[in-house]
Amino acid sequence: MADKAADNEAGNLQTERTDRTDAASDLSMRQGREDGSSAQGTKHPDDVGSKGTKSAVVEELISWVKSFVIMFVVALFLTQFIIINAVIPSGSMEDTIMTHDRLIGARFSYWFSEPERGDIVIFHYPVDEKRIYIKRIIGLPGETVEIRDGLIYINGSSEPLPEGYLKEEWDIMNTDFHFEVPEDAYLMLGDNRNWSEDARYWADNALDLGLADTEEEAEQYTYVHKDKILGKAIFTYFRKFRILQHGSWYE
């Protein structure tokens, strides 16, 4: 009996030890899981700061890109539909507009009105529409224009057109011209008549380039149709700021 009691007591003691060992093991596993979870959830301060800085830089770059795109779209819209920004390469409009002047023109000038005599306009060159010219309107749709001895006569008038804007005395290609301006078209001449390649020359240019076979065919290149006018020159801003005078200011 004593031996059985001793054996039972030893077994109970071994069971208690085993239970304690299992409990200790469970506790160790729980602590391990908790420590692991804690280790995974904790970030080093330097890592947080680095990621925050990168995020701020990316956001700043995106902001700059958005601003650039908006400015580009606005500038494109303005230059395509509202204004013309042009550099003058020659002296054909001197002294009104000087060589290398930069100017602003308005595309909307003729949306609701018609071009007038004396307007300075920017347009597609009739002989080569890839090129852009700037001249002054002299003849209006349906008019006859004659040039005699450096003077211009409109519709057979006995009084010449006042032209106070001319740079100097007009003595080159200044006589024996007769123009009959078609409807919806305009006759253009430069202010510096002695050095301006304008409507007086364009028909011959068309013949030389083989665009027409006869003078009659070439005559169409003498005039600028309204839909080829890009806009009205408003002011120069470089090298000197000046508001450009139009219409009958010189009369």
Side-chain angles (χ1 to χ4, degrees), residues 117 138-139 143-146 152-159 161:
R117 192 187 333 277
I138 300 300
E143 290 185 338
T144 60
V145 179
E146 293 186 15
I152 291 176
Y153 299 88
I154 305 294
N155 290 336
S157 172
S158 59
E159 295 295 327
L161 181 71

Side-chain angles (χ1 to χ4, degrees), residues 95-107:
D95 287 335
T96 306
I97 304 171
M98 305 303 291
T99 306
H100 304 311
D101 274 358
R102 296 175 181 267
L103 63 80
I104 294 295
R107 293 182 182 272

